[in-house]
Amino acid sequence: MSEKNEFPWGPATGVGSMPGGDAREAAKTVTGTFEEFVHLAELPARGPGADMIGRSLGLLVEMYAHVEPSGWRISDRPGRDTRRARSWMGEDLDALEEFTQGYEGPLKVQAVGPWTLAAALERRSGEAALGDPGACRDLAASLAEGLRDHLAEVRRRVPGARLVLQLDEPSLTAVLRGQIRTASGYRTHRAVDRQVVESALRDVMAVTDGPVVVHSCAPDVPFALLRRAGAQGISFDFDLLTERDEESIGEAVEAGTELFAGVVPSTDASSAGLSVGADIVKGVRTLWRRLGLDPATLAESLVITPTCGLAGASPGYARAALAHCVRAAKSLADNPE
């Protein structure tokens, strides 16, 4: 096995989003639960600008967007929607700073990656930026510059933390397969060349000297491509894995890539088993045995998370789910076999 990444990953963390609109309450919950691996909470229930896409568009440098009935569209100048996105980000950072005084562990911040952003952001014509290679390059460059500034601000506010950048790319597989629909809905955008996709991801990841995790809660996560692009961690919904993914999972573990395994349900509807941490990680142990991997490597190779963000959960369930991630990780560490 390759030498493991020496970064001190915590045993469990969240994906990003939380229910409700109270930044202080969300930060208090996250930091109080994940004492070894906190993350910057996102609160999309507040509305446009707090949503995943709008929040990341607010980070862009010299590129702006506003809300149309069809979604986010490129603007000539910053408007109300951009200002709102930046204001909410400031509020979230204030709350995080308040509850991380003296914190020295890993701290994860999330942003939408360049390809999901290109699939969601409309040009002035109403078509996705994805259909224009030049627009995709400009978007990736603007995102990279904005993320560099954002990470510097987080570092200033929580100076003892070890920053982890998470790029959310739920549309990545659809981009690679040419499955993103045009504005009319009758056609799809052409599949983007894998080398172009990999290159843009690599350029965005280069903004930080810390580790980068790529998250996708969609099926068929391109593990090998993400590893080649430089991802040191890959975050996914464990329930969506198929036999086709197993070889890629094994190769990732052997190469020292950290797996962020989404095993705790992200909504109340699937909450029946939350009382027993051991049950929720049974599938992880089974996969490890099937791949012939050493059970002793489980705890160091995995970070336990919910299957996706918790924006759609009730506040009570969200708190329970985060606590269950911690219990499940402890179960895995105490009893890897």
Side-chain angles (χ1 to χ4, degrees):
M1 178 179 290
S2 297
E3 184 178 342
K4 280 293 294 180
N5 190 319
E6 294 302 317
F7 188 82
W9 306 101
T13 192
V15 170
S17 66
M18 293 285 287
D22 187 330
R24 290 187 74 256
E25 183 61 31
K28 181 180 179 181
T29 298
V30 168
T31 57
T33 306
F34 297 123
E35 296 178 357
E36 298 179 69
F37 196 170
V38 304
H39 68 89
L40 177 61
E42 303 169 354
L43 301 171
R46 293 179 297 196
D51 61 296
M52 183 173 78
I53 299 298
R55 185 179 178 86
S56 296
L57 291 173
L59 297 174
L60 299 181
V61 173
E62 296 184 357
M63 284 187 76
Y64 313 105
H66 66 279
V67 178
E68 292 279 342
S70 54
W72 286 89
R73 184 171 295 181
I74 289 175
S75 300
D76 293 324
R77 60 185 61 85
R80 178 184 61 186
D81 297 323
T82 298
R83 289 193 294 271
R84 184 189 295 122
R86 291 175 176 174
S87 174
W88 274 328
M89 179 67 82
E91 184 180 304
D92 295 340
L93 289 173
D94 287 344
L96 178 73
E97 183 178 3
E98 178 182 349
F99 289 100
T100 50
Q101 296 297 309
Y103 181 73
E104 296 184 343
L107 190 166
K108 181 167 67 68
V109 297
Q110 305 83 219
V112 175
W115 294 107
T116 296
L117 212 53
L121 178 61
E122 298 175 357
R123 290 172 282 158
R124 292 173 182 83
S125 65
E127 290 292 351
L130 184 66
D132 181 338
C136 289
R137 287 192 295 273
D138 290 345
L139 185 59
S142 178
L143 177 64
E145 191 171 348
L147 283 172
R148 189 177 288 109
D149 293 343
H150 180 51
L151 292 169
E153 174 68 6
V154 177
R155 194 173 289 114
R156 183 186 68 78
R157 288 171 176 263
V158 195
R162 303 188 185 191
L163 296 192
V164 177
L165 172 63
Q166 176 178 301
L167 296 177
D168 292 319
E169 282 283 15
S171 299
L172 182 58
T173 299
V175 166
L176 290 166
R177 293 180 175 176
Q179 295 172 338
I180 301 296
R181 294 204 168 275
T182 58
S184 69
Y186 296 121
R187 296 185 300 110
T188 57
H189 288 281
R190 177 179 307 180
V192 181
D193 182 88
R194 297 180 79 86
Q195 289 186 327
V196 173
V197 168
E198 186 179 324
S199 176
L201 286 168
R202 185 180 296 111
D203 289 347
V204 173
M205 291 182 195
V207 304
T208 176
D209 56 4
V212 179
V213 176
V214 179
H215 168 72
S216 174
C217 51
D220 300 319
V221 176
F223 287 92
L225 183 152
L226 295 176
R227 287 175 46 229
R228 288 196 304 271
Q232 287 153 283
I234 301 175
S235 173
F236 55 94
D237 181 341
F238 188 83
D239 291 340
L240 297 181
L241 291 181
T242 67
E243 288 185 12
R244 293 194 307 273
D245 298 307
E246 291 188 1
E247 183 178 352
S248 295
I249 291 281
E251 290 172 351
V253 173
E254 293 288 343
T257 304
E258 193 75 8
L259 301 181
F260 285 58
V263 297
V264 175
S266 57
T267 59
D268 306 54
S270 306
S271 60
L274 287 197
S275 59
V276 185
D279 292 342
I280 213 99
V281 290
K282 181 179 180 181
V284 177
R285 292 193 184 91
T286 301
L287 174 62
W288 233 246
R289 285 195 297 271
R290 202 156 57 234
L291 294 175
L293 296 170
D294 181 359
T297 66
L298 257 173
E300 69 181 37
S301 300
L302 289 179
V303 176
I304 298 298
T305 74
T307 54
C308 203
L310 295 166
S314 67
Y317 178 76
R319 289 191 295 271
L322 297 186
H324 198 67
C325 289
V326 175
R327 288 198 300 271
K330 186 176 189 307
S331 168
L332 209 53
D334 292 345
N335 183 21
E337 301 189 58

